[in-house]
């Protein structure tokens, strides 16, 4: 027959946990105390060195004299109220030697009469009678075009073609117009524009190693 052995400390496990927590807290307290001890040693070292510095300043002040240091007279002068100085009028130059009788009989000089300046002549610039160069107006030609060519973007391209023809009065071929105008102008579209301009009789076309286009010199003189 076996008998169970009863422990005389039934709550021994809970005691061990509490003692372990107590040991851990005491270890942290000891660590903090060591840090405080280090701070205390640093403060003692600083106080000792600072005391030596103050003692040196005191010995230096006893050995040397400072004439610019404030004293009792300096404080008394600072407490005295400040009175503004009395203004004094200084005589002007030449008035000190003049007596009151001379001043009574002295007359102010008469003002000088301003000299009248002759009127300025107007300068007329002669232009030499040159006639103003006529301005090339593209709307005179675009208004004669069919309605579909008066809308955008056709109108801007045709105006640019007319400006190029105005700059090149000797005439331009189709490939030169395409090169100078740009705007992604194709040869077929360029020929449509030029045929419409030729129908307005403002642009002339001649066969000279190809189609040469130029402005009518009688309608649009240079």
């Amino acid at each position: 027959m076996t008998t169970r052995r009863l422990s005389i400390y039934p709550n021994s496990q809970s005691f061990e946990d509490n003692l372990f927590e107590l040991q851990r807290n005491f270890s942290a307290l000891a660590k903090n105390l060591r840090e405080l001890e280090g701070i205390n040693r640093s403060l003692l070292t600083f106080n000792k060195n600072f005391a030596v510095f103050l003692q040196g300043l005191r010995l230096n002040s006893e050995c040397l004299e400072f004439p610019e240091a404030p004293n009792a007279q300096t404080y008394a002068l600072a407490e005295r109220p400040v009175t503004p100085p009395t203004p004094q009028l200084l005589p002007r130059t030449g008035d000190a030697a003049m007596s009151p009788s001379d001043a009574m009989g002295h007359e102010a000089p008469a003002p000088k009469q301003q000299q009248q300046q002759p009127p300025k002549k107007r300068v007329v610039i002669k232009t030499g009678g040159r006639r103003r160069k006529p301005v090339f107006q593209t709307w005179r030609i675009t208004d004669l075009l069919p309605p579909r060519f008066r809308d955008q973007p056709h109108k801007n391209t045709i105006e640019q073609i007319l400006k190029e023809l105005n700059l090149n009065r000797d005439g331009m071929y189709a490939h030169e117009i395409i090169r100078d105008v740009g705007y992604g102008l194709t040869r077929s579209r360029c020929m449509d524009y030029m045929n419409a301009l030729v129908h307005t009789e403002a642009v002339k076309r001649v066969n000279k190693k190809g189609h040469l286009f130029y402005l009518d010199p009688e309608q649009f003189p240079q």
Side-chain angles (χ1 to χ4, degrees), residues 54-153:
L54 294 178
Q55 184 67 19
L57 290 179
R58 182 179 180 182
L59 293 175
N60 190 19
S61 63
E62 292 180 358
C63 297
L64 300 177
E65 294 181 359
F66 298 94
E68 297 180 358
N71 49 22
Q73 297 179 357
T74 305
Y75 292 113
L77 182 62
E79 294 176 357
R80 189 175 62 182
V82 179
T83 55
T86 304
Q88 297 180 359
L89 299 177
L90 300 177
R92 294 181 298 176
T93 305
D95 295 346
M98 184 180 296
S99 61
S101 59
D102 296 338
M104 293 294 293
H106 180 71
E107 296 180 357
K112 296 181 180 180
Q113 296 182 356
Q114 297 182 358
Q115 297 181 358
Q116 296 182 358
Q117 298 180 357
K120 296 182 179 180
K121 297 181 179 181
R122 296 180 61 184
V123 180
V124 180
I125 301 175
K126 297 182 179 180
T127 58
R130 295 182 179 179
R131 297 182 61 183
R132 187 176 180 181
K133 185 177 180 180
V135 180
F136 179 66
Q137 298 174 346
T138 58
W139 62 267
R140 294 174 54 188
I141 304 176
T142 55
D143 290 348
L144 302 175
L145 293 172
R148 69 185 186 94
F149 291 114
R150 300 179 199 170
D151 299 333
Q152 301 296 346

